[in-house]
Amino acid sequence: MKSILLSNFLITLSFCQDISQEAKDRFGESSEVLGVLRDLSYRGWLEDWWTRVNNPKPGLLVIDLQNDFITGSLAVPEAEDILELAQEIIDWQNFTKVFFSKDWHPSNHISFFSNLELRDLDPEWREKHPGNISMFDEVVFARDPPYSQVLWPDHCIQESEGANIHPSLNYPIFAIEILKGQDPEIDSYSAFFDNGGNGDTGLKDLLKDFVTEVVVIGLATDYCVGSTTIDAQKIGIPATLLTDASRGVSDTTVESMLDRVQDYGGCVSTWPEWQADLETWHRAKHIADTMLRQFNSAHGSVANFYILVVTFVLVQFLVSE
């Protein structure tokens, strides 16, 4: 039995060494490359990573390119400027999956300024903010725990013209729509979950085992596009936000969101840069970093120590008399 285990262990070790050598031949032997290969090997993920690197299956998330965000009640500045490039990206033949998200709000949605009087404000917050409340203010509603919400103009109401995807855009026949923000009591910036981190739209299950990474474009960079990119990273899907195919509400909040995206391990790029990166170490490292980040988030830094101990004990057992 021990000889069989040893034989299998040595075969696996040899296979990992072959992959490591191929990776070093392709990307070089810098300390960064060697460190990533070592960390992936410890976790038994080297083969999975190498498969993703060599067989890219990117997905595209087109976020909220709806009439109300382009020419309607909540038009994002310069939103029309990205439509031509967005169509070029949508038409790229190498995306494995393409999703269009849509805000799909009921008329009594909590994010609408017009509905402010429908719900009680948090009394402690109101005591500190006694003045008039205006459109675009952030308020806190009374609930447990209290719920913060920016107040927007009515937008993307279900079945309205404003909720439709802009008519200049053509869907691929295999594109899938993801509807978000349907719960009247909570907003949903991300195409994955609502703003409380729940309210799963189903996008995670449609993507998780079918793509190696996602590209995120649309409106608005500082809200729905950025939030979707961050949530993709959180669930272990390497995500890149394309700034040339997205627009934001304000420069200040865009800058803050792009910093957050990168803090969560996401990439910020442009369409030409992303295409040029497909065969580079930058993309390979992004995939590896996302895999390792998710592992460390789930198991904690102490996991590295236990992996080393288990590996050492296994080797000692296999080679002992």
Side-chain angles (χ1 to χ4, degrees), residues 7-305:
S7 177
N8 288 338
F9 177 79
L10 293 175
I11 290 171
T12 301
L13 181 62
S14 176
F15 184 63
C16 289
Q17 289 174 333
D18 290 344
I19 292 176
S20 293
Q21 189 57 55
E22 289 179 33
K24 288 186 285 187
D25 290 344
R26 181 168 166 183
F27 299 122
E29 298 189 35
S30 68
S31 58
E32 181 178 75
V33 171
L34 296 178
V36 168
L37 296 178
R38 180 198 62 228
D39 290 344
L40 290 168
S41 296
Y42 284 165
R43 292 160 180 78
W45 292 346
L46 195 60
E47 182 181 1
D48 185 18
W49 169 77
W50 195 234
T51 299
R52 298 187 197 191
V53 169
N54 288 303
N55 299 282
K57 296 179 180 178
L60 175 65
L61 307 183
V62 183
I63 307 300
D64 299 0
L65 287 181
Q66 295 165 268
N67 290 325
D68 272 347
F69 292 130
I70 297 172
T71 57
S73 61
L74 192 46
V76 176
E78 302 179 350
E80 288 183 285
D81 295 348
I82 69 171
L83 293 176
E84 184 176 344
L85 178 58
Q87 188 65 63
E88 177 186 328
I89 295 170
I90 292 166
D91 290 340
W92 194 59
Q93 297 298 307
N94 292 333
F95 285 119
T96 302
K97 288 183 174 288
V98 176
F99 294 87
F100 283 71
S101 78
K102 294 169 68 173
D103 262 11
W104 197 248
H105 296 315
S107 59
N108 63 339
H109 197 257
I110 194 170
S111 72
F112 295 168
F113 176 73
S114 63
N115 292 329
L116 177 60
E117 302 303 323
L118 298 182
R119 300 167 180 86
D120 293 332
L121 293 169
D122 180 71
E124 183 176 337
W125 178 88
R126 193 59 173 141
E127 184 178 349
K128 296 177 182 177
H129 303 82
N132 292 331
I133 296 173
S134 302
M135 187 89 73
F136 305 114
D137 284 348
E138 184 172 347
V139 301
V140 178
F141 288 104
R143 91 176 43 162
D144 186 19
Y147 173 71
S148 297
Q149 175 66 55
V150 176
L151 299 175
W152 305 105
D154 290 20
H155 63 279
C156 301
I157 295 174
Q158 294 173 5
E159 307 298 346
S160 70
E161 182 63 25
N164 290 337
I165 298 294
H166 194 273
S168 70
L169 295 173
N170 296 315
Y171 276 58
I173 59 174
F174 60 89
I176 299 172
E177 279 192 355
I178 298 293
L179 304 180
K180 60 190 182 71
Q182 299 182 80
D183 184 342
E185 300 304 322
I186 192 166
D187 215 347
S188 183
Y189 294 153
S190 169
F192 288 97
F193 309 104
D194 64 31
N195 288 4
N198 302 305
D200 190 341
T201 65
L203 180 58
K204 174 183 175 181
D205 290 337
L206 292 169
L207 276 176
K208 193 72 170 73
D209 296 323
F210 302 99
V211 300
T212 54
E213 61 246 272
V214 292
V215 170
V216 191
I217 67 172
L219 302 170
T221 308
D222 36 353
Y223 291 94
C224 299
V225 176
S227 296
T228 298
T229 308
I230 288 171
D231 275 350
Q233 285 290 146
K234 284 182 177 180
I235 63 174
I237 302 175
T240 300
L241 188 159
L242 301 185
T243 55
D244 54 347
S246 305
R247 289 293 183 273
V249 174
S250 79
D251 291 342
T252 301
T253 49
V254 166
E255 183 177 352
S256 175
M257 178 57 81
L258 295 181
D259 287 342
R260 288 185 62 213
V261 165
Q262 293 177 95
D263 287 344
Y264 277 94
C267 288
V268 175
S269 189
T270 64
W271 177 233
E273 290 171 349
W274 182 83
Q275 289 178 289
D277 266 349
L278 281 174
E279 301 296 327
T280 66
W281 170 245
H282 182 265
R283 171 181 170 269
K285 184 175 184 296
H286 184 203
I287 294 172
D289 286 347
T290 303
M291 295 171 70
L292 295 169
R293 176 185 287 264
Q294 189 180 37
F295 177 88
N296 290 335
S297 175
H299 302 285
S301 58
V302 73
N304 288 339
F305 172 76

